[in-house]
Amino acid sequence: MVRPRQFTVYFYSQCILAINCYLPSGVNQTDLVEYQESLAIISNILSTHTDDAIVISGDFNADTVNPNNKRSLGYLRAFLEDAGLISITEELGSQGNFTYRSDDGAKTSFIDGFLTLSSSLHQFADLTIGPDTPLNTSDHLLVRIKWSIVLPGHTDRPKHATTTQPAQKLQRLKIKWTEASKDQIAAQYTDPLEITARQLFTTFHKRVLDNTSVDDLLHKLTTAMIETSLSLPHSYPSTGKHGKPEWTAKVEDSYNAALEVWKRWKTAAKPRSGTLVTDYLLCRKKFRSQLRQSRAHNNRKLLNCIENACETNQQLFHKLVKNQRSKDRDASSSSAFDIPEKPTFSAPMYALTITSHDIKEATTKLKKGKASGPDNISPEHLIYIGKATMHLILLIYNYYLSTAHTSQKMKDGLILPFHKGKGKDPRDPRNYRGITLSSSFSKLLELILKPRLEKTLQGNGIPDELQFGFQKNHSCMLTSCTMEFIIEINTCQKRPTYVALLDAVKAFDKVWHDGLFYKVDQTNIDPAYTALLRSLYENMESRVLWSDKTSGAIPILQGVRQGGVLSPLLYTVFVDGLIKELRDKRLGCQLLSQHAGVIVLADDVALVSSSPTELQEMLNVTCKYAETWRYRVNPQKSKIVTFNNKAHKSTA
């Protein structure tokens, strides 16, 4: 067997393949077998990237510069000949040099280096070997080489870092579910989708499923949902700015005319009499009259819609009258198909399977009227499914749970930048807040997992009782009352209260993924769920939507998923260790013999103490925790407030 972590493969700019390897030493027969297997793996990788620029680096455990009788050298030379590769170190290195030295200094060899295609040798130059200094604790020396290559669209970043793909036109679909009655939705969406789902289920449930086929099944189901829902009222709204409905072209023209006259009147120092003021007053009157007429027209139009909806569409009627979404979440289902309850899977199933009851419960928690994700699937697409479609989703979800695999479509996001306002420069990207729209299929899966994870985490004491965010029956008011109660008790006991209010820099967007899942692994969450969560966070990508165009794919390498149902729960796991560490060290105030030295509301942390020395120690613990888990406290936005023992006023 080839040893794990023996290869690292990088793909740069979609046209560079870089492989770093550590090949077996070849000192015995087992090593020689592994050596040949390793070369076979590299050969298979190369066969799928025939058009890419290629470089292979690492420890080959075969000296091509100073040849010897080692059998692994023969295997390497045969591999180079078959693959059309050449040893750069052999061509550019010089005999007598070495990259490896034994501990006793008796043996040296040139076993580290680079390989590339024979036709690409001219692109490499300046092979250098690092000095052998006492500070180098490794047996190997550093080998450098200069690679000069011009690539189309090259960004000097890995493929999964940042790409310079051109902006693409995006057509966003909006199904107007509220304008259709339940019977209309059932007849034009649910029932036709059931027929398609039945056909897909019959095609796939008897096959030996793999990742590709299940992802293809999800893609076909998504396409069927969209195409079927197009029979309902729909539109393709623009993401540009929208004015109020009464602001018509006529209103716009009259406004611009009044604005021009006002500018001339202002330039003339706003005279109280004369032609300018008369013209301005007339234009203003005309503009206001035009605006009133437009509003009256829209009101009459709205009343007509209400009258029509009263007889034909009760859901729309109540929406227009009450100006809010309907709270009815009953999904219509009129399927009579006979669907097998337990699909056939090629992968071994966990006992932790997802059932139709889980999907029914989760769909009741989906919020209607929310924007769809990059796949144009809205929550209503999943709320109004029938029995056949539900079993098809069950097949997909249970396969993902059993194999710890998720489709890339469930990981993609669409970022909508919103300006923060308050006079901030709209040309500065930092003055925009990105809101990410994620897949509804992903939200549904997370809604199914959430109660299971919450039950397990409660057994681990997560969230802590001092975490007031993301919990039922907790609020900002309860948080502030708790803080006020601590201050009042200290005041009655004639003790000051020192509070450090800490602000983490983009707390949710900076969560370290490896650290997060290390903490998740320390809980009692079933490994099947943990593996599925890891899959959801691997290779996440988002695109920015701006003026109906999208950017290239941007990899999301840190942070909890925006819009993710499980994101608050995962962030709670990530910061829970700080609360428990401060409690274990008995740092901070006590409230009725209970630790109350730290109060957390989501990502806002307040350290509370009656001693400035103790507060400094708490700050040291917090800073060390932040450094360990790779997030940063913003010193500019963090404050220390002192409440003395004589008054309620604070001094900063």
Side-chain angles (χ1 to χ4, degrees):
M1 290 293 293
V2 178
R3 286 171 287 184
R5 290 198 292 262
Q6 197 159 294
F7 297 97
T8 306
V9 183
Y10 303 93
F11 301 97
Y12 289 84
S13 299
Q14 302 181 355
C15 48
I16 296 182
L17 171 66
I19 303 177
N20 184 267
C21 59
Y22 168 53
L23 300 187
S25 60
V27 295
N28 53 46
Q29 187 61 35
T30 302
D31 281 352
L32 289 174
V33 172
E34 289 188 2
Y35 199 95
Q36 290 177 299
E37 291 177 351
S38 300
L39 294 179
I41 292 175
I42 298 177
S43 180
N44 289 335
I45 296 174
L46 296 179
S47 65
T48 59
H49 295 81
T50 55
D51 297 329
D52 294 341
I54 296 172
V55 62
I56 306 173
S57 61
D59 180 359
F60 302 108
N61 265 309
D63 192 341
T64 58
V65 178
N66 307 294
N68 50 34
N69 295 325
K70 201 172 182 181
R71 291 179 63 184
S72 58
L73 177 60
Y75 294 150
L76 180 61
R77 290 196 181 279
F79 163 72
L80 295 179
E81 183 177 354
D82 292 340
L85 300 176
I86 192 170
S87 172
I88 304 174
T89 46
E90 182 179 2
E91 296 297 325
L92 302 182
S94 57
Q95 290 189 354
N97 287 345
F98 62 90
T99 61
Y100 167 80
R101 180 193 57 192
S102 61
D103 292 336
D104 57 7
K107 296 181 180 180
T108 60
S109 58
F110 207 128
I111 58 176
D112 307 280
F114 303 90
L115 309 176
T116 191
L117 296 172
S118 302
S119 58
S120 303
L121 180 62
H122 66 280
Q123 298 172 349
F124 296 86
D126 299 339
L127 179 70
T128 59
I129 302 174
D132 185 18
T133 66
L135 297 178
N136 181 20
T137 58
S138 172
D139 296 330
H140 298 258
L141 303 180
L142 180 64
V143 185
R144 294 188 182 93
I145 197 167
K146 182 184 293 185
W147 189 8
S148 302
I149 182 171
V150 179
L151 298 171
H154 182 48
T155 60
D156 285 329
R157 291 179 181 269
K159 177 181 178 181
H160 293 300
T162 302
T163 60
T164 56
Q165 303 171 21
Q168 299 177 356
K169 184 76 174 180
L170 178 67
Q171 193 174 43
R172 297 280 291 160
L173 172 65
K174 181 178 181 181
I175 304 297
K176 300 179 180 179
W177 300 95
T178 56
E179 295 184 12
S181 64
K182 284 188 177 181
D183 292 339
Q184 186 180 359
I185 293 174
Q188 298 183 20
Y189 173 71
T190 306
D191 292 346
L193 182 62
E194 288 289 274
I195 297 175
T196 305
R198 172 63 176 173
Q199 295 171 349
L200 290 174
F201 197 96
T202 303
T203 303
F204 278 88
H205 89 280
K206 293 182 179 180
R207 290 175 51 181
V208 177
L209 301 181
D210 55 21
N211 295 349
T212 302
S213 63
V214 175
D215 289 349
D216 181 57
L217 176 59
L218 178 62
H219 172 71
K220 290 183 176 180
L221 177 60
T222 301
T223 303
M225 283 181 163
I226 295 173
E227 292 178 350
T228 308
S229 63
L230 290 177
S231 60
L232 298 171
H234 64 278
S235 64
Y236 296 94
S238 170
T239 58
K241 292 184 178 180
H242 300 277
K244 294 184 178 180
E246 64 265 23
W247 199 269
T248 61
K250 291 183 178 180
V251 175
E252 179 76 18
D253 292 340
S254 60
Y255 169 76
N256 290 332
L259 182 61
E260 289 298 324
V261 176
W262 176 81
K263 289 179 179 178
R264 293 199 302 269
W265 177 60
K266 181 182 178 183
T267 304
K270 297 182 179 180
R272 295 289 182 178
S273 60
T275 307
L276 282 178
V277 66
T278 303
D279 292 344
Y280 166 60
L281 293 176
L282 287 174
C283 288
R284 186 179 68 174
K285 182 179 179 180
K286 182 179 179 181
F287 161 66
R288 292 180 175 178
S289 175
Q290 192 70 51
L291 183 60
R292 284 194 298 270
Q293 292 177 19
S294 180
R295 285 175 176 168
H297 173 75
N298 279 281
N299 288 336
R300 288 194 297 270
K301 188 176 179 180
L302 176 61
L303 288 174
N304 290 333
C305 289
I306 293 176
E307 291 175 358
N308 294 331
C310 181
E311 298 179 356
T312 61
N313 191 336
Q314 289 293 319
Q315 187 176 3
L316 177 60
F317 171 75
H318 289 293
K319 181 181 186 300
L320 294 173
V321 174
K322 298 180 180 181
N323 195 25
Q324 63 181 8
R325 295 193 306 270
S326 172
K327 302 301 182 181
D328 185 14
R329 297 184 181 274
D330 294 336
S332 61
S333 174
S334 56
S335 172
F337 293 121
D338 183 19
I339 305 296
E341 286 294 329
K342 294 184 180 181
T344 303
F345 297 92
S346 63
M349 289 294 296
Y350 287 105
L352 306 170
T353 54
I354 297 171
T355 65
S356 57
H357 175 74
D358 295 326
I359 292 185
K360 290 178 181 178
E361 287 290 320
T363 52
T364 62
K365 299 176 184 178
L366 288 171
K367 296 181 179 179
K368 295 181 180 179
K370 294 295 184 181
S372 59
D375 54 4
N376 278 329
I377 296 296
S378 65
E380 287 87 347
H381 279 100
L382 296 172
I383 292 173
Y384 296 116
I385 60 174
K387 185 178 179 181
T389 310
M390 182 183 300
H391 280 83
L392 201 60
I393 296 175
L394 274 177
L395 186 151
I396 296 170
Y397 282 177
N398 278 310
Y399 178 85
Y400 287 162
L401 180 61
S402 67
T403 60
H405 167 77
T406 48
S407 170
Q408 185 61 42
K409 290 184 177 295
M410 295 176 63
K411 307 176 189 180
D412 291 342
L414 194 63
I415 302 175
L416 277 61
F418 286 89
H419 188 248
K420 296 180 180 178
K422 298 181 181 179
K424 296 184 178 180
D425 186 0
R427 296 169 296 180
D428 189 346
R430 293 173 296 180
N431 294 332
Y432 287 83
R433 180 177 289 107
I435 304 299
T436 302
L437 303 178
S438 55
S439 166
S440 294
F441 278 103
S442 175
K443 290 180 180 179
L444 181 64
L445 179 59
E446 292 186 51
L447 280 170
I448 294 171
L449 297 179
K450 185 178 179 182
R452 306 184 184 194
L453 301 185
E454 286 179 335
K455 184 176 180 180
T456 303
L457 290 175
Q458 286 174 359
N460 292 89
I462 301 174
D464 194 278
E465 60 184 1
L466 294 176
Q467 169 63 270
F468 289 82
F470 313 127
Q471 295 196 66
K472 293 181 180 180
N473 304 321
H474 286 65
S475 63
C476 297
M477 183 64 71
L478 180 60
T479 310
S480 61
C481 288
T482 304
M483 178 68 73
E484 185 177 358
F485 191 35
I486 296 173
I487 296 172
E488 289 289 344
I489 289 180
N490 285 340
T491 301
C492 292
Q493 296 177 355
K494 297 183 178 181
R495 293 184 302 186
T497 304
Y498 301 94
V499 181
L501 304 173
L502 307 181
D503 178 81
V505 179
K506 296 183 178 180
F508 297 98
D509 296 333
K510 297 288 187 180
V511 172
W512 176 31
H513 286 174
D514 289 342
L516 170 63
F517 287 106
Y518 174 83
K519 287 179 172 290
V520 171
D521 289 337
Q522 304 307 305
T523 66
N524 294 327
I525 293 177
D526 190 276
Y529 296 145
T530 303
L532 187 60
L533 288 175
R534 284 183 182 272
S535 177
L536 280 172
Y537 275 80
E538 288 177 354
N539 301 322
M540 285 196 304
E541 292 181 342
S542 289
R543 288 173 169 81
V544 179
L545 176 62
W546 185 265
S547 298
D548 294 333
K549 292 184 178 180
T550 61
S551 69
I554 303 171
I556 308 301
L557 305 177
Q558 60 184 5
V560 290
R561 293 162 52 89
Q562 277 205 22
V565 176
L566 294 176
S567 295
L569 188 64
L570 293 176
Y571 184 80
T572 301
V573 174
F574 189 68
V575 300
D576 185 76
L578 175 61
I579 305 175
K580 288 180 169 50
E581 184 172 348
L582 291 170
R583 177 186 283 112
D584 293 341
K585 294 180 180 293
R586 303 186 64 81
L587 295 174
C589 289
Q590 300 290 316
L591 181 61
L592 302 178
S593 302
Q594 297 293 322
H595 180 259
V598 55
I599 295 178
V600 182
L601 180 65
D603 61 329
D604 296 321
V605 178
L607 305 179
V608 190
S609 177
S610 299
S611 165
T613 304
E614 184 182 49
L615 183 65
Q616 182 60 57
E617 188 175 354
M618 296 173 72
L619 287 170
N620 294 341
V621 171
T622 303
C623 290
K624 184 178 179 180
Y625 185 90
E627 182 180 358
T628 302
W629 299 103
R630 298 189 183 181
Y631 70 90
R632 187 165 61 88
V633 176
N634 190 343
Q636 284 73 33
K637 294 185 178 181
S638 300
K639 303 293 180 183
I640 295 180
V641 183
T642 303
F643 298 87
N644 58 40
N645 57 3
K646 296 181 181 180
H648 298 290
K649 295 182 179 180
S650 64
T651 58

